[in-house]
Amino acid sequence: MSFYDEVGGHETFVRLVESFYRGVAGDPVLRPMYPEDDLGPAKERLTLFLEQYWGGPTTYSRERGHPRLRMRHAPFHVNPDARDRWLTHMRQAVDELGLSPLHEATLWDYLQRAAMAMVNTFEPTGIGPSADGRSGTSLPLAPPPPSTPL
């Protein structure tokens, strides 16, 4: 049996993703990363990806090709703040599933590693490109400090 089957298959991953996106919908840092007004397409993509990763149907690859997670996230400002917010919403979603301790730990370990791997900048939130490709700078940029001799 695959992990996908052991945890309840499609319904479990739908519940996970639905709960996760409830958090994202109200998050002022993460929500702007989703250019669509409707989060439905993002929910579908994440569900298909997670199902495939954990041994379920391979629909994701048939419809979208190789996951290429780093490449797909490259246009977005994924800094440690965004990562931590993503993990906060995903932690809530995982907790709601009520998985066995082994299944919960296995899933959470992967999600943490994946979130860490998506970080592509250490600039503060509000600096850098937004989902629509325009500058996301909303914080004042301070001039660099004057040079001092060593």
Side-chain angles (χ1 to χ4, degrees):
M1 257 180 110
S2 67
F3 183 91
Y4 172 83
D5 292 320
E6 290 175 6
V7 299
H10 178 73
E11 291 307 315
T12 297
F13 288 95
V14 167
R15 286 178 34 227
L16 175 71
V17 170
E18 284 292 327
S19 176
F20 169 72
Y21 277 104
R22 276 195 304 275
V24 168
D27 190 292
V29 170
L30 297 181
R31 182 60 182 99
M33 292 186 194
Y34 297 87
E36 300 143 328
D37 289 335
D38 176 14
L39 289 173
K43 291 178 189 178
E44 179 70 12
R45 290 187 300 268
L46 182 57
T47 301
L48 293 175
F49 169 77
L50 291 172
E51 287 180 326
Q52 178 173 306
Y53 182 86
W54 291 105
T58 58
T59 309
Y60 183 92
S61 287
R62 282 195 317 271
E63 291 182 2
R64 297 183 50 83
H66 189 280
R68 302 177 304 207
L69 293 180
R70 290 276 302 170
M71 183 202 76
R72 292 183 195 274
H73 289 81
F76 305 101
H77 188 88
V78 183
N79 65 3
D81 178 42
R83 175 203 61 211
D84 293 348
R85 288 167 179 269
W86 190 94
L87 284 169
T88 295
H89 300 303
M90 192 56 82
R91 178 75 255 176
Q92 176 68 35
V94 169
D95 289 348
E96 288 179 17
L97 294 177
L99 299 175
S100 73
L102 177 60
H103 288 121
E104 182 275 329
T106 302
L107 178 60
W108 186 243
D109 178 67
Y110 167 75
L111 294 168
Q112 285 182 299
R113 287 183 291 112
M116 298 293 180
M118 293 307 106
V119 172
N120 58 24
T121 185
F122 288 92
E123 293 178 347
T125 297
I127 305 292
S130 62
D132 62 6
R134 294 178 293 132
S135 172
T137 302
S138 61
L139 299 176
L141 296 176
S147 297
T148 56
L150 298 175

